Amino acid sequence: MRIATWNVNSIGARLERVLAWLELHQPDVLALQELKCTDAAFPLMEIQALGYEVATWGTGRWNGVALLSKVGLSDVTIGLTDQPEYEGALEPRAIGATCNGVRVWSVYVPNGREPDHDHYSYKLEWFAALQATVDAEMKASPALPLAIIGDFNVAPSDDDVWDIAKFENSTHVTPAERAALISLQSIGLVDHLPRALKGAPYTFWDYRQAAFGRGWGMRIDLVYANAPFEAAITDCWIDREERKGKGASDHAPVVVDMEASA
DNA sequence: ATGGCTAAACCTTTTAGA
């Protein structure tokens, strides 16, 4: 079974690449982030034509998450329990479903913008809601393989950015953000490190300043797995190739290969 | 061999991304 996550930075702009990637790598489950479209505008027919069931939560210009599966898609959960709002709106940043006996959450954690910004405190509150939601699920079904996959918008360690000196007074590397990840680990989740096919294990390279060509990347798209999920993993890798060329997302897919489950 | 932003909407500027 192959499960992948990919922040596509607009499913509309990325559709041809996504379809080609699905055909090439044949994931059983794909978690998407930053759809940047409404549920009604999601290219459902094109994805279904490749054999996938689809669950989406998108409200328009910003955010948006989805789960695609060709091994079943049940118990779909839209959003987190007691998910915090931002400026009065419940943003589409988390969707969960059970696929072939595996619980998968596709998440797009708030960016935070600046450490003293309201968006930053929102980010930390959002992490707390994510943890509470998943903790309750794991307590209800301890043997069920579960993983949170997606764009966490936090680099877990200094080694997960190309130059930590460039991140003074910026989000993604602050102690409080990293503490949110450590807290997720405290409830039984493991940050499963992907194998870097080439170079550093980054998953994001900014569009600006030719960041990709310079190797200015970050590992912020993460796989947080519980023990049953972790035990089934046989490989985990970053498809850096997908970041290349015209029309790429600024994030690369992260792929998890695992033993087939029930 | 990878390339100096990109995308969507409030659309000729603004907002957000990280």
Side-chain angles (χ1 to χ4, degrees):
Chain A
M1 175 134 134
R2 170 167 285 175
I3 300 179
T5 179
W6 189 8
N7 178 326
V8 291
N9 185 20
S10 167
I11 187 63
R14 216 67 57 214
L15 184 57
E16 292 310 312
R17 273 190 180 249
V18 171
L19 294 174
W21 195 85
L22 288 170
E23 297 218 74
L24 179 61
H25 292 290
Q26 296 289 323
D28 296 291
V29 178
L30 177 60
L32 298 174
Q33 301 88 36
E34 279 208 84
L35 302 178
K36 293 187 170 179
C37 71
T38 61
D39 289 328
F42 188 88
L44 197 57
M45 298 304 162
E46 293 88 338
I47 303 282
Q48 286 176 332
L50 296 183
Y52 289 90
E53 290 179 79
V54 177
T56 67
W57 186 25
T59 57
R61 183 180 183 186
W62 305 116
N63 315 307
V65 286
L67 284 166
L68 321 181
S69 173
K70 49 184 185 182
V71 292
L73 190 67
S74 60
D75 299 311
V76 174
T77 304
I78 302 295
L80 306 174
T81 305
D82 298 324
Q83 181 177 317
E85 296 183 345
Y86 185 70
E87 294 182 339
L90 199 59
E91 297 182 318
R93 294 182 175 274
I95 189 168
T98 305
C99 307
N100 190 31
V102 177
R103 187 69 177 163
V104 180
W105 276 93
S106 174
V107 302
Y108 177 47
V109 177
N111 171 290
R113 300 184 189 169
E114 308 291 339
D116 59 354
H117 199 285
D118 284 348
H119 210 257
Y120 179 85
S121 49
Y122 166 58
K123 181 178 194 174
L124 299 178
E125 291 163 12
W126 198 93
F127 261 121
L130 173 64
Q131 178 169 328
T133 301
V134 170
D135 192 32
E137 288 194 349
M138 292 197 297
K139 281 174 173 155
S141 308
L144 185 69
L146 175 149
I148 308 169
I149 56 180
D151 181 355
F152 282 61
N153 270 320
V154 180
S157 80
D158 289 357
D159 292 335
D160 293 312
V161 299
W162 82 95
D163 182 1
I164 193 62
K166 297 286 198 299
F167 287 80
E168 202 171 338
N169 297 319
S170 70
T171 58
H172 294 63
V173 299
T174 67
E177 290 167 285
R178 288 175 172 170
L181 297 183
I182 299 299
S183 188
L184 284 173
Q185 294 167 24
S186 77
I187 63 167
L189 297 166
V190 172
D191 178 2
H192 192 93
L193 267 72
R195 184 164 58 87
L197 295 184
K198 180 184 170 190
Y202 301 144
T203 65
F204 164 85
W205 296 261
D206 201 298
Y207 285 129
R208 292 165 288 193
Q209 298 181 281
F212 185 55
R214 292 169 160 167
W216 293 359
M218 304 169 71
R219 185 174 75 92
I220 55 175
D221 298 270
L222 309 177
V223 173
Y224 266 63
N226 74 350
F229 189 105
E230 177 72 10
I233 295 177
T234 55
D235 196 9
C236 183
W237 48 281
I238 301 162
D239 185 16
R240 188 179 175 284
E241 292 300 307
E242 181 53 44
R243 181 61 181 83
K244 297 180 181 178
K246 187 176 172 60
S249 171
D250 42 4
H251 294 253
V254 179
V255 182
V256 179
D257 289 314
M258 55 197 301
E259 296 162 11
S261 70

